Amino acid sequence: MDETRSFGELLRDHRHTARMTIEELSDASGVSVRAIGDMERGRSRGPQRRTVAALAAALGLTPSESEALNGAAKAGRPRSVTSPGGGCELPRAVGDFAGRGAELDRLEKLAEEAAGDGRAVAATISGGPGLGKTTLVVRAAESMAGRFPDGRFFLDLRGMDDSPLSPGSALSALLKAFGVADERIPQDEGERAAYYRSVLGRRRSLVVLDNAAGESQVRPLLPGDGNSLVLITSRRSLAGLEDVRQLPLTEMPPEDAVEMLRTIVRADRAFDIDDLDAVAGLCGHLPLAIRIAGNRLLSRPGWTAAQMAGRLADEERRLETLSAGDLHIAAAFAVSYHHLPARARRLFRQLALVPGPDFGAAMTAVLAAMRLDEAEDALEELVELGLLQSPHVGRYRLHDLVKLFARARLAEEETEADRRAAEARMNEWLLDVATAAGRWFGPDHGEPPRDFDGVPLGNPEDAHAWLEVEGANWLAALRSAADHAGHTRVIEVAEAMHWFSDRLAHWTEWREVYEMSSRAARAMGDRGVEAVHVNYLAWALSRCEGRHEDSVECALRAYELARAEEDLGQQAWALEYAGIASWRLPEYERAATYLRQAIDLFRAAGDWDGYPQAAAGYGDCLRGLGRLEDALRQHVSLLEEIKAPDYPGSSYVRDITIAVTLSRIGEDHAALGDWREAADHFRESIPLLRKCVPFLVGDRSHRSQQLGMALQELGDIAGARKAFENALEDYLTIGDERAEDVRKLIAALDG
């Protein structure tokens, strides 16, 4: 065999001879798929002897073949090329590195770019503690040895120390590593930086500046012309640097995290993949935490991955469990924490009280008793130091492990009274805003009278956005009120949500909201209010969870409560909810019975907003029973009634009823085979639905689909296609599975 061939070429030949895929070789050797791929592509030219031995054994190589393969690996391990001056050598690379494929590819492309048009490239790799920034760049530097024949250099800028390395000292260290004699290094820092750029510009080198404190420290170390690459790691974003590429890191994708854990432990003994997945998840897919968990498993031969997951599942002990030797996940967080100003440290601790997965600045300001601008500045400082993530503009979240660290700091550094006061302040504010926002959606309500700093509630769209994005937080505040016997408060908030809940019917927590308000009313001994909220619960069971029989049972319980109070309106609503749930089962005869009674009760109670809902539902039951002409007459009669100028119901419900009833008349005509009338009514209803109930996208999409089917029956293929395309676009917007049905209808047109 040709001894001049590279390790990657030899490995590929042996693998092909053995008729093995990369995946099969990975399983047999314990070397990751990514690592084998890097070797065969020449990105990793000199793997360690242990790795070569594992590959040779898996391939079944003879002693002479194994020796040749090991020789090629040894030849591919470049000697550390620095300079006669020495220093700034790369640290030892991690042999069981895994994952971060996309980031490695990005760094490889930057190296290719640096070799191009004579302009050196600089990039920042930024992110919070424990993300593996240094490990990543060292791994990349190892694989890039062939691209930088004039050396790879590493300098720790000590950015998290109390006294970071000064730019002047950093320049001196690098120049000495380049081989520049002490007496030739300029005394003036500006001249020293210019000389550094000049020397670097004549080389093809890789410079890793690790653990940068900030822009002012790094700026003099940036390259100028030439073919070098400078990689800078920092917990800060260093966004103020000019002409520098940015590669922000977050926690690893779940599959990479599991692969990293497998790579660490698989050489020792077998572990169940599901248990490893659980461990990686409890580590928050954070590389440092995964490293610690893997090392602990290796050091405890009697442990299983399931036992490790069990220990990590205890939140009170998780940070303590994530320590191995001198590696401590909490210590990594503590370094950033102690660099915060006092006010930002206090805010960070109090963020442990936030119940939801993310939060906005306005709620943070209330929690910490700060002005909004002060809270925004403190939040950005936390983001800068990697203790907080900002996944979307104006939204923030704590990594699970960082939140546990914040909780520990809160318990140790704040009094119980201060913690309770902050939590109460936040919860009261959340419920105040939720109530004001929810009331926007009642008929003829209007803008809330109170202003909440940092929360736009000037229109229903803004109110809807806040209620949805802060849903987990205000729901947790409502739970707290329920747990502390805040019955009046719970009922007030739930009542404010009544009209809004229709807009967000996919939110499964409505059942819990109305269960809490029903219990609150019962605890207060107010059967009339209880009837109202048990009715709301019946709606949630059917509309939100599809539990239609449970909904009927719940509605009939509300009916009995309302009968005891002689409340005709709530009796009517109970029968309306029971009827609609029965219709969805579908049990049309039972549904029609309930809805006929509801119609009479709504009329007797003078509830002209409830009446049209029962009347329309009754028409649907008639269609379900096959009484098509009766269904059409019912819906046409309702439409005429609701359109009358003297109809006493609210304009809001009137407009919605007109839009929905027009589409129901279209369905009646379609059932009768009268396609022209069906198409006309669907066409008329769709823009009204868009105007009156824009949040009911699925309903509007269904009407567009029905319009397309009617037009297809009429032979209007172009019109049918347009209607189907409109329906498809809307279905895709909300992720509705009916999109696939529409695709088939469009395909049938093409066929």
Side-chain angles (χ1 to χ4, degrees), residues 247-550:
L247 179 59
L249 290 188
T250 60
E251 56 266 27
M252 301 177 86
E255 59 275 14
D256 279 8
V258 174
E259 179 62 23
M260 177 181 176
L261 190 56
R262 288 182 66 186
T263 302
I264 293 170
V265 302
R266 71 192 297 181
D268 184 71
R269 59 191 189 277
F271 290 96
D272 183 85
I273 186 63
D274 291 335
D275 293 336
L276 291 178
D277 184 55
V279 171
L282 289 164
C283 289
H285 305 128
L286 198 67
L288 177 58
I290 293 168
R291 165 68 56 192
I292 293 170
N295 287 354
R296 290 204 72 180
L297 280 171
L298 285 176
S299 66
R300 290 160 175 78
W303 280 25
T304 67
Q307 288 170 324
M308 172 61 83
R311 291 179 68 89
L312 290 172
D314 183 354
E315 288 190 349
E316 299 301 320
R317 300 177 59 193
R318 191 176 304 168
L319 293 182
E320 177 186 341
T321 301
L322 288 173
S323 62
D326 61 353
L327 287 178
H328 304 274
I329 193 69
F333 301 149
V335 172
S336 288
Y337 177 70
H338 290 300
H339 272 72
L340 293 170
R343 175 165 285 198
R345 280 202 302 272
R346 178 171 173 268
L347 172 61
F348 173 73
R349 296 191 296 268
Q350 290 178 326
L351 290 176
L353 297 170
V354 175
D358 56 32
F359 47 90
M363 188 183 79
T364 304
V366 173
L367 174 66
M370 290 180 173
R371 295 198 317 268
L372 180 60
D373 60 332
E374 292 175 334
E376 289 171 338
D377 290 344
L379 288 168
E380 287 304 316
E381 180 67 19
L382 292 172
V383 171
E384 273 294 291
L385 278 171
L387 290 173
L388 197 61
Q389 298 171 353
S390 183
H392 309 291
V393 175
R395 302 299 297 173
Y396 302 90
R397 77 176 182 92
L398 289 167
H399 185 277
D400 289 348
L401 295 179
V402 177
K403 189 167 187 175
L404 292 178
F405 176 75
R407 185 184 299 170
R409 299 273 56 78
L410 181 72
E412 186 171 322
E413 301 179 40
E414 301 262 357
T415 67
E416 178 67 19
D418 285 344
R419 293 198 297 271
R420 287 182 177 177
E423 189 169 27
R425 195 164 54 239
M426 174 183 66
N427 285 344
E428 282 300 306
W429 181 85
L430 282 166
L431 297 181
D432 283 346
V433 182
T435 302
R439 285 176 176 162
W440 248 120
F441 304 97
D444 306 319
H445 174 62
E447 188 171 355
R450 179 177 168 185
D451 178 55
F452 298 92
D453 192 21
V455 180
L457 292 181
N459 55 62
E461 289 69 32
D462 286 342
H464 182 134
W466 187 91
L467 286 167
E468 188 164 9
V469 77
E470 295 288 5
N473 290 316
W474 68 253
L475 178 61
L478 191 66
R479 290 183 186 126
S480 179
D483 290 343
H484 293 87
H487 305 315
T488 302
R489 187 64 150 149
V490 170
I491 291 169
E492 177 189 32
V493 175
E495 185 62 48
M497 295 298 149
H498 172 50
W499 288 91
F500 172 69
S501 58
D502 246 344
R503 286 176 159 254
L504 204 65
H506 64 274
W507 199 52
T508 55
E509 282 76 6
W510 290 124
R511 173 186 54 78
E512 184 183 358
V513 169
Y514 295 127
E515 281 179 340
M516 285 189 284
S517 61
S518 299
R519 286 196 299 268
R522 186 162 57 254
M524 293 172 65
D526 191 328
R527 289 190 299 184
V529 174
E530 186 181 358
V532 171
H533 288 268
V534 173
N535 266 330
Y536 294 165
L537 176 58
W539 168 86
L541 288 169
S542 177
R543 181 73 172 83
C544 306
E545 299 191 358
R547 293 167 54 185
H548 307 308
E549 197 60 63
D550 289 342

